[in-house]
Amino acid sequence: MTSAHPRFDQLRPVVDDFARLPIGSAFDWRAITSPADHGEWYMVTFRSVRRAGADEARLTTLDDAAHAEAAAAPGFIHYFKGPTNVRGECLSFCVWQSRQAARAAAGGPNHAIAAAVAREMYESYRLDFIRLVKRAGVPGFGFAPFDVIGSGPPGGIRTPDLLIRSQPL
């Protein structure tokens, strides 16, 4: 976990099998906010199911390079690299100051290289683009989807899509 905002470094999953939960339920978001906090940010979640025999060392190298590239980009706030569970499922995410900052960073060469191996390394994957909102006086964050990109069989990770919606925690 690497962050430009120290409170995000305190964020922890609520259960060991958090990769199957909606992003708003998978972490203790209230633990990193105060009642006075307010603002709007952009989050990209990456849910994946690894292929049997995927080259873990290569994936780690590519992910580390893409992460370093993102962390150096303007607007980067936080990256959470989730572990892979026994079913090969993983949930990772980045938080950005804006959608424009995230899109600019995603155009970097290390991100392009990492994206190029997705079909080779994953049975399925899914990117969710989420508006992360914190209202003053309201505990936790609200989550509202922008759009989704994925590959693989429908419901490849068996996460209920409709559970990612705008709501205070």
Side-chain angles (χ1 to χ4, degrees), residues 142-154:
F143 301 84
F146 275 98
D147 45 19
V148 174
I149 296 175
S151 81

Side-chain angles (χ1 to χ4, degrees), residues 21-91:
L21 296 176
I23 192 69
S25 302
F27 297 86
D28 184 5
W29 295 99
R30 290 180 186 198
I32 66 166
T33 63
S34 75
D37 291 338
H38 65 281
E40 184 172 315
W41 302 270
Y42 184 70
M43 174 187 280
V44 179
T45 65
F46 181 72
R47 294 178 183 271
S48 61
V49 177
R50 301 265 168 89
R51 287 193 186 281
D55 184 340
E56 295 296 328
R58 183 174 173 212
L59 276 174
T60 297
T61 299
L62 294 173
D63 185 62
D64 289 349
H67 171 235
E69 180 177 76
F76 172 81
I77 295 176
H78 180 75
Y79 174 61
F80 176 85
K81 182 178 182 175
T84 303
N85 67 22
V86 297
R87 291 175 299 279
E89 300 165 330
C90 182
L91 167 60

Side-chain angles (χ1 to χ4, degrees), residues 4-25:
H5 192 293
R7 278 200 259 171
F8 274 99
D9 289 336
Q10 300 168 21
L11 192 61
R12 300 287 179 262
V14 296
V15 296
D16 289 340
D17 204 18
F18 71 95
R20 293 184 152 219
L21 296 176
I23 192 69
S25 302

